[in-house]
Each structure stands twice: as C-alpha cells, then as structure tokens.
C-alpha cells in the first residue's frame, strides 16, 4: 500500500464521492431500473457519510480498518441481476471506491473479500 492519505485528504475524497452519489440519485428516474439505481446511489452516499463521520474523530489508518470491517460484513451478491440487492451492491461499490481512494493494495482487499459471508449466511 502506498503511504496513507491524511484524514483531511480522505475527507476531501469522500466529499467528492458523496457529490457523485447525489448526482446519481438525481438521474435515477432516467435509468432502466430507477428504484434500484436510486437505492444504489443512496447506499453509496450513506457509506461515504459514515466513513466521513468516522474520519472526523479517528486517524487515517483507523478509518481504513473501519472500512475493511464494514466490507467484510457485506454478504456476496455477485452474480445476481443488476437491479437486485442495490443496497448491498451500493455499499460494496462505495467501499471499493474508498479503497481505490486510499490506495489499498489489491491483496489486502482480496483477503477482506474472502472473509465476506454468502448471502444466505448474512
């Protein structure tokens, strides 16, 4: 992993991601599955807000560890129809975007992903 961003840099990145999610919420009615698209965007925005709130009182490495814990709790929904489980898919997408933001090495992300429960185990 490259050198971890500062908490301020993380907050700036999360703010940018929240704006994108907000734009997606506004354009949901134009999509093939508006309800699912809206829920996906809302779920992403919630994760960015949660991580931003956490970053307000914690060091950057603690924020990353918190994000990894959230990621490991998400059940797998890979292979389901695009419009199914938009809340889980949105959270997963948001956390993976965060990992890209902070430069998490792919091996660490794969290890966290391997600990995630199957959908029927969650």
């Amino acid at each position: 992993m490259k050198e971890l961003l500062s908490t301020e840099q993380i907050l700036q990145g999360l703010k940018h991601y929240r704006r994108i999610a907000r734009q997606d919420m506004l354009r949901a009615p134009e999509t093939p599955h508006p309800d699912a698209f809206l829920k996906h965007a809302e779920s992403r925005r919630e994760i960015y807000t949660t991580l931003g709130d956490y970053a307000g009182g914690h060091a950057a490495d603690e924020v990353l560890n918190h994000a990894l814990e959230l990621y490991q709790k998400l059940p797998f929904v890979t292979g389901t129809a695009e419009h199914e489980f938009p809340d889980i898919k949105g959270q997963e997408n948001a956390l993976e975007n965060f990992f890209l933001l902070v430069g998490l090495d792919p091996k660490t992300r794969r290890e966290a992903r391997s600990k995630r429960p199957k959908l029927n185990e969650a």
Side-chain angles (χ1 to χ4, degrees):
M1 178 171 66
K2 67 181 184 179
E3 187 173 320
L4 200 57
L5 300 175
S6 71
T7 303
E8 185 57 38
Q9 290 169 313
I10 288 173
L11 288 169
Q12 286 288 335
L14 290 169
K15 184 177 180 181
H16 175 72
Y17 281 148
R18 274 195 313 271
R19 283 191 200 120
I20 293 170
R22 176 73 177 135
Q23 290 172 355
D24 286 348
M25 289 166 62
L26 294 173
R27 70 182 192 97
E30 305 164 10
T31 64
H33 301 284
D35 293 339
F37 195 89
L38 177 62
K39 185 63 179 163
H40 188 282
E42 288 172 343
S43 295
R44 289 185 356 248
R45 197 160 194 254
E46 287 173 19
I47 289 290
Y48 300 140
T49 299
T50 298
L51 291 175
D53 291 347
Y54 194 84
H58 296 84
D61 60 331
E62 294 173 307
V63 179
L64 175 57
N65 288 333
H66 182 63
L68 285 166
E69 289 170 10
L70 293 173
Y71 189 68
Q72 288 175 14
K73 291 177 183 174
L74 285 178
F76 275 110
V77 292
T78 306
T80 59
E82 179 185 351
H83 61 280
E84 292 181 321
F85 306 105
D87 52 337
I88 296 170
K89 290 178 181 177
Q91 292 172 49
E92 177 183 48
N93 183 238
L95 290 164
E96 289 177 352
N97 286 340
F98 176 75
F99 298 149
L100 289 172
L101 171 71
V102 299
L104 181 68
D105 67 283
K107 182 180 182 224
T108 303
R109 188 190 62 80
R110 281 192 307 273
E111 288 171 1
R113 185 174 175 84
S114 72
K115 295 176 183 173
R116 290 174 52 189
K118 291 186 169 107
L119 183 59
N120 56 2
E121 294 174 0

